Amino acid sequence: MKCRKLLIFFLLALPVAAMAQYAPAAGQAGTTAIYKDSTAFIGWAVSCKVTRGFINIADTTETYTQGDSTSNRTFFGIAENAVGKPDGMTDVVSLGDGGTAVLTFAHPITNGPGPDFAVFENGFPAQTPPYGDYLELAFVEVSTNGKRFVRFPSVSLTQDTLQIDGFGQLNPEKIHNLAGKYVVNYGTPFDLKDIADSTGIDIDSINYVRIVDVVGDIDPAYARYDSRGNIINDPWPSPYWTGGFDLNAVGVIHEKSQPTGVFVWRKSKYGFRIYPNPTDKQAVIKNGNVGSESFRFAVYSLGGETVTREITAKKTYYLNTSGWPNGIYVLKIQLGHKIVVKKLIVSH
């Protein structure tokens, strides 16, 4: 009996952080992961501005070459990849060490019951022991006016004595309120009530979401810390053009109600068709929206280079792709303040 009492005393005396566990990986009982096709989502980000980070913050002279591009900062994907609904592993923009992305929405996000929005990254289940997940993490901040940002209180209980290498694994149960907790196609939810006591912000009118890569280096010279003062350890370094947090999308669950008559532009109501897709020599952009208003569009390679851009009032536009290399392209269409981003595959 005495031994049992000593054991109970020892367990009670352990720091709470050492014992705490959070929601498990996507697909497991008790997970908070939200699948991209969930009916919980009523909208997606409509714009994204990215400030790229270094591929290696500890050696800012280190560069990476991909094709004709060489840089000491990440350059995979384009900001528009984070607009709209997530579409797989390559539908991302890589932020690099400490890089940031600021996203806006058709209508303000508001505080409702449960989570109010979710952030998507392209992590994946590991194929080698100990069979955790390959995850890259980021802080999440929100703002009403675009000037005053408030960071969600994050927790990282991953050990911080041994650096997780660039292809290492994380346990989602050790992570809370950090974007990237879940694998590709599963959003990490955020509840605005977690910052209800913050000043200079209206949690019923959030117009901006900022994503900030955590770096992941445990060296105090470059480390980033959670809300409890723990060093955040995640796969590092990843000195490639794809380094750092790979932002996939931000989905809205609760938005501020709009006056009667205001049109909410949903994915299912974009009014544009692109076909055939994949295409060979020509793709058709069909504008099914009422009226003759001109729309603009641009096509980007996955490396971020502009392939073409046009403004047209045609209801049916024929896009010549005959001279384009085979591959995946990003098609961004803008009609007034409405934006749609689609993938276009060229295969000759």
Side-chain angles (χ1 to χ4, degrees), residues 186-318:
Y186 288 90
T188 302
F190 291 84
D191 190 341
L192 290 169
K193 75 177 182 181
D194 289 349
I195 56 170
D197 296 332
S198 302
T199 58
I201 192 170
D202 180 0
I203 64 170
D204 288 318
S205 188
I206 297 300
N207 295 296
Y208 304 88
V209 172
R210 183 161 66 188
I211 311 299
V212 184
D213 178 76
V214 301
V215 179
D217 187 358
I218 64 173
D219 182 340
Y222 309 104
R224 302 295 188 265
Y225 298 80
D226 71 6
S227 61
R228 297 180 179 179
N230 302 317
I231 290 176
I232 301 175
N233 191 358
D234 83 349
W236 187 91
S238 52
Y240 313 104
W241 65 322
T242 58
F245 188 85
D246 299 313
L247 179 59
N248 207 174
V250 176
V252 179
I253 298 173
H254 296 123
E255 68 180 14
K256 199 170 185 178
S257 60
Q258 301 299 307
T260 302
V262 173
F263 178 62
V264 180
W265 208 41
R266 304 284 185 230
K267 276 276 182 178
S268 60
K269 298 180 180 179
Y270 278 157
F272 285 95
R273 292 178 58 212
I274 292 86
Y275 61 90
N277 195 4
T279 187
D280 181 5
K281 298 179 180 179
Q282 181 176 267
V284 178
I285 303 176
K286 189 80 170 180
N287 179 5
N289 292 283
V290 177
S292 59
E293 183 179 358
S294 296
F295 68 92
R296 65 180 66 223
F297 71 88
V299 179
Y300 305 91
S301 70
L302 286 182
E305 297 86 4
T306 301
V307 178
T308 187
R309 62 173 70 242
E310 298 285 347
I311 300 176
T312 181
K314 295 179 180 178
K315 287 296 184 181
T316 301
Y317 185 91
Y318 297 94

